[in-house]
Amino acid sequence: MIKDRLLKSLFVSLWLTVLTFPVMVIRVNTIEDTVTWRWGNLLLILIGSYILSLLWNYALERQERGKKVKTNKLSIKIKEIKATFSQSRPMKTSGIAAALLAIFLFPFLTSFYQMSIMNTALMYVMLGLGLNITIGLGGILNLGYIAFFMVGSYSYALLNQAIGLNFWIALPIGGLVALILGIIVAVPVLRLRGDYLAIVTLAFGEIMRIVVENWSSLTGGPSGIRSIPRPAIPGVDLNLIDTAKLVYFIMIVLAALTILITLRLKDSRIGRALIAMREDEIACQSMGINITRVKVIAFALGAVFAGVAGVVFAANTTFINPASFTLWESVLVLCIVVLGGMGSIPGVIFAALVLKLMPEYLRAFSEYRMLVFGAVLVIMMVFKPGGLIPEKRKHYNFTNKDTAEFEEEGV
Amino acid sequence: MGFDYFFKLFIGGMTKGSIYALIAIGYTMVYGIIGLINFAHGEVYMIGAFTALIVAGILSALNLPMFAVLLIAVAVAMIFSAGYGFTLEKVAYKPLRNAPRLSALISAIGMSIFLQNYVLLAQTSNFLPFPDMIPDFAFLEPVKQTLRTTQFIILVVTAIVMILLTLLIKFTKIGKAMRATSQDKIMAMLTGVNVNRVISVTFVIGSSIAALGGVLICSHTGRVHFYIGFLVGIKAFVAAVLGGIGSIPGAVLGSFVLGFTESFGAGYISSDYEDVFAFVILILILTFRPDGILGKSTKQKV
Amino acid sequence: MKKTVLIILAVMLSCSLLFAQGAEEANTIKIGVAGAHSGDLASYGLPSVNAVELVVANINAAGGIDGKMVEVIVEDDQCKPEIATNTAAKLVGEEVVAVVGHICSGATKAALGIYNESKIVVISPSATSPPLTKSGDYPNFLRTIAPDDAQAVLQVDFALNVLGSKKIAVLHDKGDYGKGLAEFAQAAIEGSSAEVVLFEGVTPGAVDYSAVINKIAQVGADTVIYGGYHPEAAQIIGGMRAQGLDIAFIGGDGVMDATFIAVAGDDAEGVYATAPVDTTSNPIAIQAAAEHQAAYGEDYGAFFLNAYSAALAIVNAIDVANSTDYDAIMAALKSEYVQTAVGNISFDERGDAIGVGFSVYQVNNGTFAQLD
């Protein structure tokens, strides 16, 4: 067995070494007309891929085994601990209290930089939660989601420039504008299914960005809008660090609101209709649910959260231009939702924090940052396709006692 | 005057269309077989171009005739890209065959990012000049201002590839296996088709064509960069969807529609909104034909 | 798997908290370098890092400034405004006295919001967007490169007076820098003896620009002014020459790059570009080039001399002012002249450098050569 594994990995490693030979070992510079050979890389790939291949196959095998039988002592112990935690009242309350305390104290214990990156991460948490409604609950793949974020940002920036709109009033307005846009986009998108729908949303996202980019007289074009006022409490003079704290609390409140709305949505009729639509559109329709209405709701609701988050983004960065709202950003939010586990709120939060904070903490390795990011995405999906914290659907446990009753009644 | 301008834009549209087509074919083949948007396809195209560059760089010391360099570079690039495509499938897509579709999509995106940065780090972040490997044809000399040899070759190659592929799919055993697998994977398995092999072959063919495209297109544009795959990839994918994803003639048709839209839109209206025209056409076509121009309207069974 | 990830995250979080309350060192002067150090614009940002590190190494070898050693803190912003704000926050947290950066105008605009309030001197070697100094919104911002409106005026001047252009096609790459430059050029042409026959943007990364090139031929332009970077410029000039369009092409400093000539090949011959005045014969510039070669084994890249000069200016100002106080340094920068790799410069009240300017270059036998 072991020998097979070692041999298999040897083949893999040799294959990869040959495959990557041109790119890794030979460097051609056509500007200076030089060809450099880096044999050191050859060894690196040979040995590195051998080890990685061993690890990879081992992990895959473990995953296969894990699926079948979960009698491993450690996993049983973990299950027990989890059970005691979630079932015991005092444990649960104290756990929640501790978490709330940590969240509240965070800005007072950390530096400006830490808060700054946490604020950015929180904005993506909100974006993730918003897209979660569209994709996670509704099953509609929106590849142009960041356009709603952009619309929220620009509505604050432009209205502030034009009529001096206050940040606090801009928050709901940004959401409203995004909502209207969401409804407008949803209309032509309704007839399409699956990947066609995804492509059309991508098209809309790009169209909006390019229009904003070119319509210089209205939006400032690629030079963007600068000197956007930060959030402020009227009458109170806040310095930079205090403003960051304010933004932090605003984001916490907004994120909490989003979570609340999502939770309520899941349990409501509309929420169940969304999930039904995600699972099987035709069955859903035959149950009498108006698919059109439900799709528009899924789209528009997701859009609102992005719009509001966009207002905060504009106020926090004080400068926006279309280059911050490209396809790449939409893809990032998509990754957050899928990585976290579609439909799962803790998963999305966790994934947003990880995907946004990791690059900041790994600043030292910034050259390899994107390489690692790509690899992490692949690895995460291969080993945990359901996401980091997959959605837990409500299920009812029948004990033997319950079924015994039914059996007695002859059902 | 009017017609001359129109004709020039037409040639430009043809060029763009054939460029997108060479890449769109790969997207559509993979999607047809396993229902996955192979985000990393653009990167395979880019790696093909880089490989050709490297080969040409090594051969430059040997003073071979241009034609020989072209052939060797194309052959090597195609082989290596096929290898990358094959490996890509085995590593990032095969384990996810039974997973939710979005998970496979994210894996594809991850692979795309990984390959881009792999080339960036292993090579350079600069734009590198790409030698024009296509020798100039004498008979095109009089029209070379309207139709360059590179454009001509790309057009001809696209046509040949399309014909060859259609023949392959219609008349060969592997083609039949591919059609079967794309219709119903499980039934194909039950009738004895080695589905794993068919999928690998699909990736290999798609990737080789992308590599071929990479060499030709970079000879035309004169430069190569680690990011080119992503930019062209999105357009090519849009073209494939436009024409009806899963259908090879559809991918080619969609590519030309896209190419002409961009060219005429830029030429007659404004180059500022070039991409907007492309996307608007996409939305319009999908509104009236939700499965793309040549898409097979998949009736959903209840 | 999940557990492991959580543990790693917890460890990292606690580590970062620890580092957040880092030890205060009163004996070093910290200078930050911010810009694109990764991603596709890295080649514009990395040379500045080298420049500042070389200057600081020299200073430290000579005993530091007033006995205090200088430390360089390098932070990446990938030319993205939202990351630039975090970068700025980090540098502010590290208590830097001055920052050389950022590289891209957009990122600079975002980051300045933070530096402004924290009273930190910012000198950019490459951010050429005019509002950065002309608007007056950023009193703490200076730059060692002339702004784009000056560049555009030079381009138009050259076209009108030297080339005798009458019908000018102005193109751009729809980016902040490129479109800005093009718009200034357009403004300069309007009201003059020439007319703008075409004003359009091209999409960076497109596979074929023949539509726009056909348009240029169609409207009968005799000159093209292009605002943007060298990859697109090389494509456009290649397409122009291939289609037999032999008219003059004037680019900006984004076009003046060895890669442009390498990619465009023979088509690059005769192309004009405006760029900072050639100061490579300046003694400090020669010395800087030698230092770079010795330390890094290759020639320096974009904006190296500008960043080198910025660092020299900062170090000189701290020395002259004998303090690291913001107002003192600012006053020194705006009143003192300092010998740098780009000349003997000082800064005016708005922050633009006095003593730097642009000049016109032309590709001659495979290299850019300064005209007049």
Side-chain angles (χ1 to χ4, degrees), chain B residues 253-267:
Chain B
L253 181 64
S255 301
F256 280 105
V257 168
L258 199 68
F260 284 125
T261 309
E262 283 183 359
S263 194
F264 287 123

Side-chain angles (χ1 to χ4, degrees), chain C residues 98-181:
Chain C
V99 171
V100 174
H102 292 230
I103 299 298
C104 299
S105 297
T108 312
K109 286 179 204 169
L112 277 175
I114 295 183
Y115 294 128
N116 216 341
E117 299 225 10
S118 316
K119 296 269 184 207
I120 294 184
V121 174
V122 178
I123 307 188
S124 173
S126 59
T128 47
S129 171
L132 285 170
T133 49
K134 304 284 164 79
S135 69
D137 288 338
Y138 311 107
N140 60 329
F141 177 77
L142 311 167
R143 55 180 155 206
T144 49
I145 187 170
D148 279 335
D149 50 354
Q151 196 177 173
V153 164
L154 179 63
Q155 285 177 328
V156 174
D157 243 9
F158 183 78
L160 293 176
N161 299 330
V162 177
L163 299 178
S165 314
K166 290 273 174 263
K167 296 169 129 187
I168 307 181
V170 179
L171 298 179
H172 59 88
D173 66 355
K174 307 190 215 177
D176 188 4
Y177 157 73
K179 194 169 184 186
L181 199 58

Side-chain angles (χ1 to χ4, degrees), chain A residues 30-80:
Chain A
T30 39
I31 303 179
E32 292 162 21
D33 274 328
T34 57
V35 179
T36 19
W37 296 74
R38 301 162 299 183
W39 297 102
N41 284 348
L42 186 77
L43 230 63
L44 179 74
I45 294 281
L46 199 65
I47 300 174
S49 61
Y50 188 69
I51 299 175
L52 281 176
S53 160
L54 279 173
L55 284 173
W56 181 267
N57 287 321
Y58 175 66
L60 273 178
E61 277 174 40
R62 255 193 79 185
Q63 200 193 26
E64 275 301 311
R65 262 188 285 135
K67 276 191 201 145
K68 290 164 191 164
V69 167
K70 269 211 161 118
T71 51
N72 173 318
K73 271 202 190 141
L74 188 61
S75 57
I76 296 180
K77 204 92 217 297
I78 294 179
K79 274 212 177 113
E80 283 176 24

